[in-house]
Amino acid sequence: MEVSIDAEQAWSKTLFGNRFMLQLAGTIMSTDGAFTGSQLALRSRIPGSTVHRLLVDLFTVGLIAKEPQESGSRALYFRRLGHPFWEAVSRLSVAARDSNPTTGDEREPQRGKERR
């Protein structure tokens, strides 16, 4: 089952103050090795300027690190650092998937209808 983008964005906005942080963090988690902001923007379909701003935030708090730049290259590569944040992102994605996309409440049976 695919995570509802609306629910994921609502959760992300509430938790991080930005509707794309949860999605970007999930994309980073699924990336092996070094990555650039442009690569993440393509994979996640998040606007590049937003990706770059969020990467600065993740770098500032020590969740990602810059890789050494190759001589003559303008590309800035990052790598994910080990931290409990990444496991929390995975759990939050599951919680968003299991929530009501409109209210964020856990799914509950409608009145008069019981789960079986």
Side-chain angles (χ1 to χ4, degrees):
M1 180 175 167
E2 189 173 315
V3 174
S4 165
I5 295 300
D6 291 337
E8 185 175 57
Q9 288 181 358
W11 278 58
S12 186
K13 179 72 173 174
T14 300
L15 294 168
F16 303 111
N18 181 286
R19 63 187 178 128
F20 294 113
M21 181 60 90
L22 189 55
Q23 180 184 352
L24 181 64
T27 302
I28 291 171
M29 283 186 57
S30 67
T31 302
D32 291 327
F35 52 85
T36 67
S38 297
Q39 290 170 338
L40 294 176
L42 284 172
R43 288 189 66 202
S44 66
R45 298 182 184 186
I46 298 171
S49 60
T50 300
V51 168
H52 290 284
R53 188 175 68 249
L54 294 175
L55 287 176
V56 168
D57 292 345
L58 293 171
F59 175 77
T60 299
V61 297
L63 296 172
I64 60 174
K66 292 180 184 176
E67 290 285 287
Q69 276 187 284
E70 293 182 21
S71 175
S73 173
R74 292 184 46 179
L76 184 57
Y77 283 86
F78 296 91
R79 64 182 163 82
R80 179 170 50 101
L81 298 175
H83 192 278
F85 171 81
W86 303 109
E87 176 62 28
V89 163
S90 177
R91 290 178 185 217
L92 288 168
S93 291
V94 170
R97 183 181 312 123
D98 292 340
S99 74
N100 180 321
T102 305
T103 64
D105 296 334
E106 289 185 24
R107 294 182 191 259
E108 295 186 20
Q110 295 176 355
R111 281 200 169 133
K113 297 181 182 180
E114 296 179 348
R115 285 188 180 167
R116 294 175 190 215

